[in-house]
Amino acid sequence: MSDRTRRQDQEKEDVLTRDRVEEPKKFKVILLNDDYTTMEFVVWVLVNVFHHTQAQATRIMLHIHNQGVGVAGIYSREVAETRVAQVEQVAKDAGHPLQCIMEPE
Ligand code: TYC
């Protein structure tokens, strides 16, 4: 390969690297298990805040109950922040200690 071809190849690669579009960051919204929040309320949250079906919500709730934590959904930063705030609000209103956090995917 000539020096010129090598240089052209390198320049093409530099442009590809420079112009690569980053994937927007995603965040996991995670529910934590506790001994006091009712299973029924957690399923209600998963249906009404995270829009899971009743069957999927029940599976996720049981996973959290058995494993200690579970992912309710994966969203953009803004949507994840909104979901966390919604869970905190409905849990507070209902008098449940349910904890919800977000973390980078
Ligand atoms: N462990 C709770 C109970 O036995 C149920 C529960 C499930 C609580 C999931 C929180 O994120 C949670 N009543």
Side-chain angles (χ1 to χ4, degrees):
M1 204 193 288
S2 72
D3 280 357
R4 183 183 166 79
T5 312
R6 216 187 309 281
R7 187 156 31 78
Q8 283 171 339
D9 279 0
Q10 186 59 52
E11 280 167 5
K12 275 186 208 143
E13 210 174 294
D14 288 348
V15 167
L16 285 175
T17 306
R18 188 195 65 204
D19 293 349
R20 190 155 42 220
V21 176
E22 297 287 337
E23 288 292 320
K25 271 207 171 57
K26 293 287 199 176
F27 292 80
K28 293 188 280 197
V29 175
I30 295 167
L31 293 178
L32 310 185
N33 187 37
D34 68 71
D35 292 339
Y36 305 103
T37 304
T38 63
M39 292 184 172
E40 185 188 19
F41 182 74
V42 177
V43 171
W44 184 91
V45 166
L46 288 163
V47 169
N48 290 283
V49 176
F50 296 94
H51 309 301
H52 291 293
T53 63
Q54 191 76 22
Q56 186 60 17
T58 301
R59 271 194 289 274
I60 295 169
M61 181 281 295
L62 286 173
H63 172 89
I64 301 165
H65 176 72
N66 290 317
Q67 305 299 319
V69 291
V71 177
I74 299 175
Y75 307 99
S76 67
R77 180 191 293 277
E78 290 73 18
V79 173
E81 283 171 350
T82 303
R83 295 283 191 268
V84 170
Q86 286 171 325
V87 172
E88 286 172 348
Q89 188 62 57
V90 294
K92 187 167 175 241
D93 291 349
H96 289 298
L98 179 62
Q99 296 284 299
C100 183
I101 59 171
M102 60 190 268
E103 66 175 40
E105 195 186 16

